[in-house]
Amino acid sequence: MTKHYDFKKAKNFILENKETIESADLGIREDWSWTAEEVYNDKDGFVIDLDTVEKIAGIPGSRWATPALLVVYKNGDSKLFDCHDGGNSNPMDPLAQAMMYGPLSGPTQEYVEDVEKGEF
């Protein structure tokens, strides 16, 4: 099962704490450098409309990793929070198992495509 970003949760947390927040980014915890985008900063406010957005960095969530909210506080501290809809990646999910080992080889990619087509 895919864990999708919980945009409402992120927005509510930011609004409740905006006096102490310098910036906030959403991304996939285990693949942060490729998936994170700034959603809020104390200068511009919300730079992504969390009421209408459906994807961050082109993806809605992850089958194998954790959507998260990184908050940088004005005092210099930062904290990374899980920020998803509560779905989880069942360890028996064949697609999640295939993807958790990193880049996919040709045979593994073919297996993943078969699973997605329901040919598993």
Side-chain angles (χ1 to χ4, degrees):
M1 175 181 258
T2 300
K3 296 178 222 171
H4 292 95
Y5 287 104
D6 189 333
F7 297 110
K8 183 177 180 179
K9 181 185 211 179
K11 181 178 182 180
N12 288 340
F13 182 86
I14 293 165
L15 288 173
E16 291 170 7
N17 297 282
K18 70 180 183 179
E19 298 303 318
T20 61
I21 294 175
E22 182 177 311
S23 65
D25 297 7
L26 281 168
I28 300 296
R29 178 189 298 260
E30 293 84 355
D31 202 10
W32 194 260
S33 64
W34 294 102
T35 62
E37 286 191 55
E38 182 179 66
V39 297
Y40 174 87
N41 67 62
D42 63 343
K43 184 188 290 187
D44 302 315
F46 286 95
V47 294
I48 292 178
D49 184 351
L50 297 179
D51 290 325
T52 61
V53 68
E54 295 180 2
K55 298 177 181 179
I56 295 293
I59 57 174
S62 177
R63 292 179 74 113
W64 63 275
T66 312
L69 175 69
L70 174 64
V71 177
V72 177
Y73 294 96
K74 292 178 181 178
N75 69 3
D77 291 342
S78 63
K79 186 161 184 179
L80 187 64
F81 301 92
D82 289 356
C83 192
H84 55 81
D85 63 0
N88 65 41
S89 185
N90 180 340
M92 298 308 290
D93 179 342
L95 182 56
Q97 282 182 338
M99 294 178 70
M100 67 188 235
Y101 298 110
L104 304 178
S105 67
T108 304
Q109 182 63 44
E110 290 169 9
Y111 169 77
V112 168
E113 291 167 3
D114 289 345
V115 169
E116 289 177 333
K117 292 180 204 170
E119 298 174 2
F120 170 70

